[in-house]
Amino acid sequence: MAQRNSSGRGGTATRTRQRAGNQTPNTPSISESEISRMRVDDIRGRLRKYGVSGISALRKPELVKELARAMRSGGGAARKATGPAGRA
């Protein structure tokens, strides 16, 4: 019979490392955690103002990354919709 971990929890291989604070390097004014607290509709609205297209099929984590990328680049990062899900 296989041995079980006595703590009842998963081993270290199943843990995820959550890092606190701003995860976007060299951009102290852009906080992905603040963006992730926004509503999805608000994030999509901001992305439209930056000229990013192909955002209708994206989920919230992808939208947060896109908005952080658009804010870093100053709004010149127009995303091309390449398929029905906006992916290549």
Side-chain angles (χ1 to χ4, degrees), residues 22 76-77:
N22 187 6

Side-chain angles (χ1 to χ4, degrees), residues 55-66:
I55 57 176
S56 61
L58 298 179
R59 294 181 182 245
K60 188 170 183 177
E62 297 163 331
L63 290 169
V64 170
K65 289 180 183 179
E66 284 293 324

Side-chain angles (χ1 to χ4, degrees), residues 4 8 10 19 21 27 29 32 41-43 49 51 53-54 57 61 77 79-82:
R4 295 181 63 197
R19 291 181 279 173
T27 52
S29 63
E32 288 185 20
D41 291 335
D42 295 336
I43 297 171
K49 287 181 183 178
S53 61
R79 176 184 163 104
K80 295 180 182 178
T82 56

Side-chain angles (χ1 to χ4, degrees), residues 44 46-55 66 70 75 77-79:
R44 285 196 172 111
R46 289 229 180 149
L47 284 168
R48 285 186 193 101
K49 287 181 183 178
Y50 278 109
V52 179
S53 61
I55 57 176
E66 284 293 324
R79 176 184 163 104

Side-chain angles (χ1 to χ4, degrees), residues 30 32 64-75 77 79:
I30 299 172
E32 288 185 20
V64 170
K65 289 180 183 179
E66 284 293 324
L67 183 55
R69 186 178 302 139
M71 291 172 76
R72 266 193 311 260
S73 68
R79 176 184 163 104

